[in-house]
Structure formats: structure tokens, C-alpha cells
Amino acid sequence: MSIAIEIERTPNPKALKFIVNQMVKHGGKLTLKTSEEAQELPLARDLFAIAHVNQVHLFENVITVSHDGEGEWETIVPQVEAVITTRMPVHDPSWEPKTLVKKKDRSQLSPELQKIEEILDRTIRPGLQGDGGDIEVVSFENNIITVNFQGACGGCPSSTMGTLNAIEGILQQEFEPSVRVVPQGMEAFY
């Protein structure tokens, strides 16, 4: 089967989605932020070998590639397409990093976290995933929900303000009016 690639922009000017006519990730998503994390996955390893690529996100049949802001898409895109075309025939969409911490079974989460996850699944995640990203709930303590943006959403200017405010507004309306949503690493400021 020949490899067909469709390229779509994301709200993050430093990230593009490469939609492939084959599965790139079975069973969930995978965000790799360093070339070291990608060493055993030739597709991701070779994407990181492209100058200025600093993140690779795999989800279903989508590869979201982010750059550090120093690169130009005119130079990066043809290289990404070449890597995808040559590596997809030998790519294993079921690959998981050895150090991957398996996602918790949601039935083991507190009722509050289960409700938060359900609201995000229904209202926020479809849009983020459609843009080549996602959001992970890191913790919920003292009415502060700490989140980590993934894929194209990581480092996106709109995720730090607009998307974060939208998420907080939805959770205040559907979960708890006094809840705050903060990006991971910024908890001390709230």
C-alpha cells in the first residue's frame, strides 16, 4: 500500500498534523519530547533527526510534528514527508516505550477526577485531538486542577490562555464554580 499524507495546520504555528492513510498509533496516544525517548521507534527517531523538530505526537492515523521556533516549515515539511514515506512500511503502531507509565484505570480515580475526565472527554478532548494535541489531568487538589498539554497543544500560545480559560469555564459550569485550571509547573502561582 502506498503512503498518502495530508498536511493540516494546527492553532499552534509551531506544529503541523500529518494525516496518514495507515494507523500510526493503536490504543491511545504517544507524545515524545526528546530524541532519546524515540530511539527504539525508527519513525519518531528519524523525525527527531530533522533539524529543529522538538516533539512528535502519535494518535490514531495522525503524526503531529512540532518545531522549536527556529525552523521553517518550507524546509521541515519535505523532510517529514520523506521520513513518513520511508518509515511507515516498517512502523509498529503498537509500540510503547519501555519506561511508559500505563494510564490509570479511571475506575480507580476519585469520583471528582472521574467527573473531570468525563467532562473533558465530552467537551474539550475532541477539539484538541482534532488539532493534533490533547490534555492530561495531572492532579486535583484544593480545587486546583493541574493539566499538561500534549502534542500540538504543548507550547501553543492559544493553549496557555484561550484554551485554558475555556477549559476552566466549562469545568466551573459543569463541575465546580470555584475550580481553577492551571498548567503543570505553574501551581505555585495559584
Side-chain angles (χ1 to χ4, degrees), residues 10 19 25 28 47 51 93 96 104 113 121 132 134 144 152 167 174 178 182:
T10 73
I19 303 167
K25 182 69 180 105
L47 289 171
E96 296 286 351
K104 290 180 187 176
L113 276 172
D121 284 348
D134 208 337
I144 296 177
I167 294 167
E174 295 193 30
S178 63
V182 301

Side-chain angles (χ1 to χ4, degrees), residues 12 16 156:
N12 182 350
L16 285 178
C156 177

Side-chain angles (χ1 to χ4, degrees), residues 20 53 77 107 141 171:
V20 185
V53 169
V77 166
S107 67
E141 295 177 21
L171 290 169

Side-chain angles (χ1 to χ4, degrees), residues 33-88:
K33 296 182 179 183
T34 67
S35 59
E36 291 77 26
E37 293 175 334
Q39 283 308 303
E40 295 181 27
L41 186 64
L43 173 66
R45 180 194 64 220
D46 292 351
L47 289 171
F48 274 106
I50 299 169
H52 304 292
V53 169
N54 66 354
Q55 183 172 272
V56 175
H57 180 76
L58 308 176
F59 177 70
E60 296 178 350
N61 67 325
V62 178
I63 303 167
T64 303
V65 176
S66 302
H67 70 75
D68 60 11
E70 299 296 319
E72 297 291 332
W73 284 123
E74 296 79 26
T75 305
I76 296 172
V77 166
Q79 295 177 69
V80 170
E81 290 177 313
V83 168
I84 293 171
T85 301
T86 59
R87 292 298 177 225
M88 278 305 295

Side-chain angles (χ1 to χ4, degrees), residues 13 40 83 106 136 139:
E40 295 181 27
V83 168
R106 286 189 181 174
E136 171 190 25
S139 66

Side-chain angles (χ1 to χ4, degrees), residues 9-15 17 127-128 130-132 152-153 156-159 163:
R9 294 193 180 278
T10 73
N12 182 350
K14 298 180 199 169
K17 287 184 351 181
L128 296 180
D131 285 335
C153 299
C156 177
S158 66
S159 71
T163 303

